[in-house]
Amino acid sequence: VTSLGAASHLAHVTRLDLRSSYIKWPDLAKLAECAPFERLASFALRKSSSSGLEREVMKAWFASPMMSHLEEVDFSGWARFNASAAKLMLSTLPLRELRVMRLGGTSIGKTQLGALFETNDLGALEILDVSAQEFNTKASRSLAMASHLESLRELSLAGCRVDWAQFDSFDGKTHI
């Protein structure tokens, strides 16, 4: 990882896909610290389910300068990407330029799903995949009332447990 950090010819890499890569948490931490890529536009990560989630490493990644202009993030299918990780992402990762967010098949939970919909920094978001998530009334209401998501063009709710009747109770005060 140290030699990768010193590889100046990789500075212009804009897409980094580490889904199902065999990379250990300490190596991810070193990579975040040396930040060999000047400006990532796209980042994907799905660790094996047995490796858990290292909060401090994820925090270092989200706060890394190479993530400051991210346009796409993909954690889809990573069952260990849970409510704690989602909360950390929403509070640490720069979200204003994000156009694509894929969280399908993660375990972010109902509370963080609602918090995601309420995050005003997601105004540029065009594609949102929250498939296989379970909605509660608050998450449904947050989605229905999220007028800041006006750029959204694709919303994946595949496999979601949504009580569609919940949307009827909002008295037409929705933007969707």
Side-chain angles (χ1 to χ4, degrees), residues 90 93-98 118-125 148:
L90 293 175
L93 185 69
L95 302 170
R96 291 198 183 275
E97 296 178 36
L98 213 55
E118 292 172 358
T119 302
N120 289 323
D121 286 350
L122 294 175
L125 204 59
H148 58 278

Side-chain angles (χ1 to χ4, degrees), residues 90-133:
L90 293 175
S91 66
T92 311
L93 185 69
L95 302 170
R96 291 198 183 275
E97 296 178 36
L98 213 55
R99 295 182 306 111
V100 178
M101 181 181 281
R102 299 189 190 282
L103 299 172
T106 62
S107 303
I108 64 173
K110 302 171 197 174
T111 302
Q112 288 307 309
L113 186 61
L116 171 71
F117 297 141
E118 292 172 358
T119 302
N120 289 323
D121 286 350
L122 294 175
L125 204 59
E126 297 173 9
I127 298 172
L128 178 60
D129 176 1
V130 290
S131 54
Q133 301 296 328

Side-chain angles (χ1 to χ4, degrees), residues 48-68:
S48 70
S49 59
S50 63
S51 65
L53 190 131
E54 293 281 336
R55 182 177 168 79
E56 290 306 311
V57 176
M58 290 303 296
K59 185 176 182 178
W61 262 100
F62 292 153
S64 175
M66 64 185 172
M67 303 284 273
S68 64

Side-chain angles (χ1 to χ4, degrees), residues 79-92:
R80 295 279 180 115
F81 192 84
N82 57 21
S84 175
K87 185 175 183 178
L88 183 65
M89 177 187 70
L90 293 175
S91 66
T92 311

Side-chain angles (χ1 to χ4, degrees), residues 110 132-136 140 157-164 166:
K110 302 171 197 174
Q133 301 296 328
E134 187 172 348
F135 281 65
N136 59 11
S140 298
L157 300 174
C160 286
R161 295 184 64 195
V162 180
D163 179 359
W164 293 101
Q166 293 174 352

